[in-house]
Amino acid sequence: MQEDKSAALRSDAQRNRERILEVALAELTRAADAPLSAIAKKAGVGQGTFYRNFPNREALVLEVYRYEMQQVADAAAQLLQTRPPDQALREWMDRLAQYAMAKAGLADALRKATSSHGSLAQLGHGPVTEAVTLLLNANEEAGTIRPGLTPDDFVLAISGLWQIDPHSDWQPRATRLMDIVMDGLRAGASGAGGAEAGA
């Protein structure tokens, strides 16, 4: 009986945490300096519960960012299950661009909350690096991209994405940038698909 009770408590705590993250994502995306008290209130949790999960603004913002980056990363494996490797890579790049533009408020909140981290990319480094590695390996095996590319090469190549103003008509610029990067990845590919794509 005691076990059931602690399991119920754990699942309640997990639900509270997820609700806080959900509300925080929406609020921080809308306004980088959204008050923590307003986030707690909208999530329907008390201050004690809120601060037990997230002792300060930095902890909350970092966790929201990590959670979101995990969602972006998880899309890589899903795309590879249903599309050819080069198409999966290109579509994933589009999703990354959409994420970067849609979450500009969250990026601002992250910059405001912490200055101790070098770059935003580093925070999502684990899951994003895994996703990029998965996509690059699948493409290298298929011969659709040049061999020997590293996740760092890829991140450096797409870093121009973070220079685009999310409040502008960003989509055509992001699409053009991703197409240029994809052309560069295909140059020197060994497979027939890579030769045709580069032709």
Side-chain angles (χ1 to χ4, degrees):
M1 203 66 190
Q2 188 62 42
E3 247 176 65
D4 287 356
K5 198 172 181 183
S6 64
L9 281 172
R10 273 198 307 275
S11 74
D12 275 355
Q14 186 58 35
R15 269 196 302 277
N16 283 340
R17 185 177 173 81
E18 283 168 8
R19 206 162 45 245
I20 292 167
L21 285 172
E22 217 172 274
V23 171
L25 171 63
E27 292 301 301
L28 292 169
T29 297
R30 198 174 47 75
D33 50 3
L36 298 185
S37 56
I39 292 171
K41 193 174 179 182
K42 276 196 175 175
V45 300
Q47 299 287 329
T49 299
F50 183 90
Y51 286 106
R52 210 171 22 256
N53 279 284
F54 305 103
N56 54 43
R57 176 176 287 275
E58 181 177 354
L60 174 66
V61 173
L62 289 175
E63 189 53 37
V64 169
Y65 188 78
R66 279 196 195 99
Y67 176 78
E68 280 295 284
M69 291 311 284
Q70 188 63 57
Q71 304 304 304
V72 172
D74 289 346
Q78 294 158 9
L79 287 166
L80 278 170
Q81 286 172 358
T82 56
R83 293 166 179 66
D86 56 340
Q87 197 182 332
L89 175 60
R90 185 63 188 80
E91 282 189 40
W92 188 80
M93 288 162 71
D94 280 340
R95 287 191 189 193
L96 187 64
Q98 284 170 347
Y99 169 82
M101 297 301 117
K103 304 299 183 225
L106 179 57
D108 288 344
L110 192 57
R111 276 189 284 273
K112 285 181 182 178
T114 173
S115 54
S116 60
H117 298 280
S119 75
L120 300 184
Q122 289 172 332
L123 290 170
H125 212 59
V128 171
T129 299
E130 286 166 26
V132 172
T133 302
L134 189 67
L135 288 160
L136 293 180
N137 287 346
N139 276 279
E140 193 170 328
E141 280 172 33
T144 49
I145 62 169
R146 66 170 62 208
L149 290 166
T150 68
D152 283 343
D153 294 335
F154 177 83
V155 170
L156 195 58
I158 64 160
S159 63
L161 194 54
W162 282 269
Q163 307 307 313
I164 298 173
D165 178 2
H167 306 295
S168 67
D169 182 18
W170 62 267
Q171 249 171 330
R173 294 188 71 195
T175 299
R176 199 162 52 245
L177 175 67
M178 297 297 114
D179 285 344
I180 291 166
V181 170
M182 198 69 202
D183 288 347
L185 296 175
R186 286 184 174 124
S190 59
E196 283 164 23

